[in-house]
Amino acid sequence: DVGDVVVPPGTAITFRVWIPGGSPVNVIEPYVQDYNWGWSQSWYGNPATNTWSTFTATVPGTAT
């Protein structure tokens, strides 16, 4: 959770996540939310385990 960060509309935000083997995590859903409570998300099913995985969420072009 990161708050109060100004990111221009249309920008892709990248997350790097390590998921250990045997973990019950089977979905990653990064999301972004603007100051008007509008939000956008991405969905990644069955993420790889025992390695770093990269995920992105893009700030909508109309975000404030």
Side-chain angles (χ1 to χ4, degrees):
D1 180 17
V2 177
D4 293 326
V5 176
V6 177
V7 180
T11 301
I13 300 170
T14 302
F15 301 87
R16 288 188 36 91
V17 179
W18 178 275
I19 301 170
S23 172
V25 174
N26 59 14
V27 171
I28 300 288
E29 289 187 80
Y31 69 93
V32 293
Q33 185 175 32
D34 70 12
Y35 285 112
N36 291 325
W37 298 93
W39 59 282
S40 178
Q41 73 182 49
S42 300
W43 187 91
Y44 299 91
N46 301 314
T49 58
N50 289 325
T51 188
W52 285 101
S53 296
T54 301
F55 306 100
T56 61
T58 301
V59 177
T62 58
T64 54

